[in-house]
Amino acid sequence: MDGGWSFACPRWLAPRGPLGNARLGWLAARVPGHVHLDLVRHGIIAEPLAAMGELGCQWVDELAWSYRTELGFRPEAALPWRVLRFDGLDTVASVSLNGQALGGHDNMFTPLELDVTDRLQSGDNELSVDFAPACRIGRERRACYLAREGLSMSVAHFDERAFVRKAQYMYGWDWGPRLLSAGIWRPVWLIEHAGRLLDVHLEQHHRSDGTVELRASSEIEGPGEAVHRIEGVEGLVRDGDTVLIDRPRRWWPSGLGEQPLYEVTTWLVAPGTPQDQLDRHAHDRRSTRIGLCRVELLRTPDRIGESFEIAVNGRRIWCLGANWIPDHSFPSIVDRERLRARLAQARDLGSNMLRVWGGGLYESDDFYELCDELGLLVWQDFAYACSYYPDDESACEAARREAEHVVRRLRNHVSIAVYCGNNENSMMFHGRWEPRDAHPPRLFGEALYDRVLPGVVAALDGSRPYVPSSPFGGESPNDGRAGDQHCWDVWHGRGDWIHYDESLARFASEFGFVSAPGQRAYRRVLGQGADLSAIDPRDARVRWHDKTGKDYEQFSGLVELHYPPSADLEEWIYRSQLNQRDALRRALEHYRRSDACRGALVWQLNDCWPVQSWALVDAAGCYKAAAYEMRRLFAPLLVVPEIAGPELHVWTILDNATAGLSGGLVVEASSLLDGQLLRRWSIETHARPDERRVALTVDLSPYDPAETLLCATFEGAIAWRLLGEPKDAWLAAPHLSARLDHSGIILESDAPVVDLMLWDEAGELVFHDNLITLPRAGSIALRVTGRVPQHLCGRSLAGSHVIEIGSNMAPPARSDR
């Protein structure tokens, strides 16, 4: 029922309304969608994500909005029951059919089903959905609740958003706009049936002898019985039956093994239906894909505090990845193709885990299906973040219903690894976030995280671990020596990324550093023809797309600790992104050198709009500089050149591997001016699984920091480091050229080049390889996809470059994999 919808603002329909004598009637709408998107299509508001369009459309969220459609219906005697299902309503809505109220809804995260068996009339029916403004509803509920609890209206971190079950990021965040919106954001269905499957669950029991037991169960509505066919199992399986898979093909996270999925088909049929007649006589049919995998959260007291590590199929792993936020400010836009592209990027970087952050959404079925396919473990927060929440009896009951729907929907997905009660709510209370004297006397919401949510997980998906909050553990929630840690003392505290070395995290579930988005993203803000080299980073439109709370002088001051000042936006993009790369490199190399840390999830993978943020991939879907570095930092074998005063300690680290490596470790010091080899050191060494050690120490005191580039290689792993600060480096002015061959673009340089980022002005070329350093004159092959122009643009530490290309033919297409 996604077609034929229209929308209106009831105030605009009224005579002598706010438009004077003018009246605006019903306009065509798209469902699934959001009202802002409909208003843009009709030219009523500017694009909210461009320039300062967010500011110009704040009035939209203060108004009520209505949607309606015509439904033609002819009853079928064989399908006696009819259900109207809304997969997602955003958010406070009432539904009417032919002018009669059907019901209301108040949760963006859960579907609404209404029995219309006796309400539909043969022929035409009018279906309408009326949305109340979430901001007004939230303010009203807040005032009533605070008064009832005896709390002041000035209480901190207990705002309107806590009182509406809606994606919290839509109220604005330090990387996102305030665009609450409203609308039918997921599909609408009229379901006619003679019986249907409401739920299918495949419960796994992994036995000590290596076999796996599967138990099938279903929830049905109407007559009949559920029967299942499980790939690799002979015959049909009925509800309650347990079957044994004696040679299971186990599912592993990406980089640790394969991701086999078993197909399970379930039919709802009359008892005794022959096997060869199931499809023909089924009242309902459902397909489910499962993976066979056992996930454990190991929390063992030790000399430091308490461990926090994930074990998969009995094997301890090192978790590497990022935090996931909704991929658009209006989530109805995000489809399977977009999700596949973004999740394939996460895998390309070397991730094996994503954390679905609590201020966003329970993502679509497409998201979790793709994570199953790609081998991405999912840490799933429940949708509570950075706030106090009501936890009276009615709030607990609403939370229970929401959690039951969520867990039932997710539990068959092999990628689900951990459930978590909230994001930073315990940390907020115990850490007394500013303003410190305006907190309530207790942690409102604690009953949800300590009683309701763990109860639902235990009852419906008891094999998976649950933690009440993130971070959580130790003497305080963010102690680091126990549980997981959100390391924000750098960006929100001391500023310089060198302080990542002081983190004690056993599992760093959030840490990050901000940079500008790429050029394509900025052109969505400033216009496709914008000359970024002529725009000041202090431009009002640029600054509007920075929600971090730091002004430009503060932000640029952090970058200028290591890089020269930026004269224009193009330079600012380049230098802020390199500084982000350096920060994440410092953090990840620190965490992976640690004997105690077992996971690191960067904040954040993606963006919901073009913005200066912590993201690795910007809103245009382009890698920032740091993303290219993640491939090295997330690889099982990591070489770390640690500069410690006059010495260089070269570490070898091997994680998520079953066999060790041995070979030659080579370190070279070369001149940045001409590429001359200053010194070469080499030893034969080894790296064992789960081992991290200093394999080589060398004396750097004879070498000038401003002139020296260090490069370390071991068994295909490579790492380079400037001996001094980038802003102090003496650099050659290389001449760069390029030519095409069957593999892509061959880039050639006649001198050393450091941190070269390439782009094409038309924005038609995708660089799968970028951020290039050549310690001496030479060439490198780059994988690209798209139309290759006559020249490329680039910037290195030495300055800007225009690079001529020998021909203009498209390179071969390359799969995401």
Side-chain angles (χ1 to χ4, degrees), residues 19 361 399 643:
L19 302 180
L361 301 160
I643 299 172

Side-chain angles (χ1 to χ4, degrees), residues 93 268 280 353 473 692 733 744:
L268 178 61
R280 182 177 179 183
M353 176 178 271
R692 49 216 75 238

Side-chain angles (χ1 to χ4, degrees), residues 139-213:
R139 290 192 295 264
E140 293 172 356
R141 292 175 179 172
R142 179 180 188 268
C144 291
Y145 187 85
L146 296 186
R148 190 164 66 247
E149 294 291 330
L151 297 173
S152 167
M153 288 294 288
S154 61
V155 65
H157 309 295
F158 212 167
D159 299 327
E160 64 188 89
R161 66 180 175 86
F163 297 86
V164 181
R165 292 306 296 147
K166 175 180 174 63
Q168 303 285 271
Y169 82 105
M170 299 177 83
Y171 289 83
W173 222 265
D174 55 4
W175 38 258
R178 180 181 170 93
L179 294 166
L180 276 67
S181 204
I184 304 170
W185 78 283
R186 281 181 168 164
V188 186
W189 309 89
L190 175 62
I191 301 169
E192 302 173 78
H193 69 94
R196 60 175 176 151
L197 294 161
L198 298 178
D199 182 56
V200 175
H201 182 208
L202 283 304
E203 188 176 355
Q204 303 179 23
H205 174 58
H206 293 253
R207 302 183 357 163
S208 59
D209 62 1
T211 61
V212 177
E213 290 180 347

Side-chain angles (χ1 to χ4, degrees), residues 6 25 47 49 62 106 187 202 364 397 408 422 427 455 459 519 546 615 640 668 671 674 681 701 740 772 775:
S6 57
E47 167 55 59
L49 308 189
E62 297 290 340
D106 193 13
L202 283 304
S364 66
E397 177 58 22
R408 282 194 173 99
N422 68 75
M427 170 185 172
Q519 296 195 17
D546 181 347
V640 178
E668 293 183 344
S671 169
D674 56 15
W681 301 265
S701 57
L740 288 176
I772 301 136

Side-chain angles (χ1 to χ4, degrees), residues 739-746 769 780-784 811-812 814:
R739 56 184 169 83
L740 288 176
D741 80 349
H742 66 280
S743 63
I745 292 177
I746 305 299
D769 299 310
I780 187 171
L782 307 176
R783 298 166 298 160
V784 296
R814 174 178 174 269

Side-chain angles (χ1 to χ4, degrees), residues 255-407:
L256 287 94
E258 297 182 346
Q259 294 81 46
L261 297 173
Y262 288 73
E263 293 286 342
V264 180
T265 306
T266 304
W267 295 269
L268 178 61
V269 293
T273 301
Q275 290 192 31
D276 60 355
Q277 299 291 311
L278 293 175
D279 282 325
R280 182 177 179 183
H281 294 293
H283 296 313
D284 199 0
R285 183 179 186 274
R286 179 178 295 197
S287 294
T288 308
R289 291 190 307 170
I290 63 168
L292 301 181
C293 181
R294 178 168 58 97
V295 177
E296 301 168 275
L297 175 59
L298 306 179
R299 304 188 68 173
T300 306
D302 57 24
R303 60 181 177 80
I304 300 171
E306 184 182 78
S307 69
F308 192 100
E309 56 186 328
I310 299 294
V312 177
N313 297 323
R315 176 179 163 192
R316 296 163 59 246
I317 71 168
W318 226 98
C319 293
L320 290 157
N323 286 260
W324 173 273
I325 67 168
D327 205 49
H328 200 280
S329 291
F330 302 116
S332 59
I333 283 179
V334 181
D335 59 14
R336 188 180 183 93
E337 181 181 1
R338 183 183 179 115
L339 287 170
R340 179 178 288 280
R342 201 67 71 244
L343 294 172
Q345 288 175 319
R347 175 169 164 145
D348 175 58
L349 303 186
S351 303
N352 59 31
M353 176 178 271
L354 293 176
R355 174 175 173 244
V356 179
W357 169 72
L361 301 160
Y362 307 106
E363 284 291 339
S364 66
D365 293 338
D366 288 334
F367 177 92
Y368 300 101
E369 288 171 7
L370 290 165
C371 287
D372 293 346
E373 291 177 15
L374 294 169
L376 297 172
L377 291 169
V378 174
W379 169 317
Q380 178 67 57
D381 281 3
F382 285 94
Y384 305 90
C386 301
S387 177
Y388 297 106
Y389 287 91
D391 58 3
D392 55 11
E393 186 176 345
S394 63
C396 286
E397 177 58 22
R400 182 190 62 77
R401 291 194 301 270
E402 177 186 309
E404 286 178 346
H405 166 74
V406 169
V407 174

Side-chain angles (χ1 to χ4, degrees), residues 458-574:
L460 299 180
D461 195 10
S463 66
R464 288 190 171 101
Y466 170 87
V467 293
S469 186
S470 180
F472 189 82
E475 296 179 3
S476 66
N478 205 31
D479 180 77
R481 290 169 292 185
D484 65 315
Q485 182 185 63
H486 292 190
C487 184
W488 288 116
D489 182 48
V490 174
W491 172 261
H492 290 300
R494 287 175 284 179
D496 193 357
W497 43 256
I498 63 172
H499 298 292
Y500 277 122
D501 289 352
E502 299 165 33
S503 171
L504 301 175
R506 310 301 300 267
F507 192 111
S509 51
E510 282 190 20
F511 62 98
F513 214 90
V514 172
S515 73
Q519 296 195 17
R520 292 183 194 176
Y522 265 128
R523 288 195 171 95
R524 295 184 179 184
V525 174
L526 304 168
Q528 291 303 314
D531 179 1
L532 305 187
S533 65
I535 294 175
D536 192 313
R538 300 171 185 81
D539 181 287
R541 297 164 297 173
V542 175
R543 297 301 306 139
W544 189 260
H545 288 253
D546 181 347
K547 305 291 188 180
T548 62
K550 285 182 170 34
D551 60 32
Y552 179 74
E553 284 65 33
Q554 289 176 297
F555 190 178
S556 62
L558 298 179
V559 176
E560 289 167 16
L561 292 172
H562 306 284
Y563 289 90
S566 300
D568 55 53
L569 185 56
E570 183 186 297
E571 287 189 356
W572 172 245
I573 293 170
Y574 175 72

